[in-house]
Amino acid sequence: MTTVVVVAGVLGVLAGGAVLRPWAVTGTTSRAVAVAPTTGTSSPPPTPAAPAPPVTATPTPLVPAIDLAGQSTEDPSSTWVVVNKSRPVAPLDFEPADLVGLGDERVRTVVHDDAVAMLAAASTAGVQLTVLSGFRSYASQREIFDSMVGHHGVAEAEQVSARPGHSEHQTGLAVDVGDLTDPSCDFLPCFATTPAGLWVAAHAQDFGFLVRYTPENSAVTGYAAEGWHLRYVGRELAGHMRSAGLTTLEETFGLPGGPVYP
Ligand SMILES: [Zn+2]
């Protein structure tokens, strides 16, 4: 517990006050570089300043503030990809190449170790957190969505289920979790009040996961609250979002969301 608090504190300090936004990055990378005039005759001619790197370049690891342009929000293999009703997975039938087992489910390799650490930390805290679903293919999401439409109609289905090609589960970066001691609330609003639901709301971000859909952000995300749906974004971005008071990827990156498919 002490370690977690310290890490979160460090991230808060690093991210606080010096956040690089995409528009700020452009200004930073294009700033003029002063070149000293040549005074000696034996010195080699000054080397011209190197051109500024593109804003999509890999961030320098030692830069203390997070570079929000440092990873793609479009590429479905990026841990920062933003998928919602306005932003489908592209290509629509994308399937990750590096899925690994997590219990009975599969997730991206990058998700695995932090998920295992999160489950272990929950267990240490006396919470029986379990993974109920991970990667879902385009085809399986189509089955789920069509079933929801069949049972509840299109309007209600679209409140609670993504159209195929619009689910974060297709990226292998999302997991749905449950409480082994109270499975009656699995996939239901009451999950948020179970020990597991309360624990992930307080601690999932320590391990790089967001509770993606909350009652407060549903207008932005376009989905009803799902206290069980955790989206992996990595510890750096999760820590930045917490210190900045942001709960959605849409607001973090200035990207569209909302409940309506364009
Ligand atoms: Zn989910």
Side-chain angles (χ1 to χ4, degrees):
M1 179 58 75
T2 303
T3 304
V4 169
V5 171
V6 168
V7 169
V10 169
L11 285 173
V13 169
L14 295 180
V19 177
L20 288 179
R21 301 273 178 190
W23 51 88
V25 170
T26 304
T28 303
T29 54
S30 63
R31 74 184 169 216
V33 176
V35 178
T38 43
T39 52
T41 53
S42 59
S43 302
T47 306
V55 292
T56 53
T58 303
T60 306
L62 295 179
V63 172
I66 192 169
D67 176 5
L68 290 176
Q71 293 188 44
S72 173
T73 55
E74 315 284 333
D75 181 349
S77 63
S78 164
T79 51
W80 291 3
V81 66
V82 181
V83 174
N84 57 37
K85 291 178 180 178
S86 297
R87 298 171 53 85
V89 178
L92 272 179
D93 61 351
F94 169 79
E95 190 163 327
D98 61 347
L99 293 170
V100 292
L102 178 66
D104 295 334
E105 298 296 321
R106 289 184 296 162
V107 294
R108 289 273 312 281
T109 300
V110 69
V111 179
H112 179 271
D113 289 357
D114 277 335
V116 169
M118 179 175 67
L119 294 170
S123 179
T124 299
V127 174
Q128 300 306 307
L129 190 65
T130 187
V131 173
L132 300 173
S133 64
F135 166 74
R136 286 203 293 266
S137 68
Y138 178 91
S140 60
Q141 186 67 26
R142 172 162 288 291
E143 284 181 27
I144 290 172
F145 183 77
D146 288 350
S147 171
M148 292 294 292
V149 170
H151 283 94
H152 304 289
V154 173
E156 189 173 336
E158 294 203 330
Q159 271 284 312
V160 296
S161 180
R163 288 183 187 174
H166 291 264
S167 171
E168 289 190 324
H169 286 280
Q170 193 180 325
T171 67
L173 296 169
V175 293
D176 294 326
V177 294
D179 190 324
L180 279 174
T181 62
D182 190 5
S184 66
C185 281
D186 288 350
F187 298 106
L188 293 173
C190 62
F191 172 77
T193 62
T194 64
L198 294 168
W199 191 89
V200 295
H203 301 292
Q205 277 181 287
D206 296 339
F207 301 91
F209 291 88
L210 308 175
V211 177
R212 180 79 162 95
Y213 309 119
T214 71
E216 294 76 24
N217 71 21
S218 60
V220 176
T221 65
Y223 289 99
E226 293 187 5
W228 58 88
H229 177 101
L230 305 182
R231 160 64 196 276
Y232 187 74
V233 298
R235 298 189 186 209
E236 181 190 27
L237 182 59
H240 161 72
M241 289 175 65
R242 173 149 59 193
S243 63
L246 296 165
T247 69
T248 69
L249 295 172
E250 288 80 4
E251 292 162 305
T252 300
F253 292 108
L255 294 171
V260 179
Y261 289 95

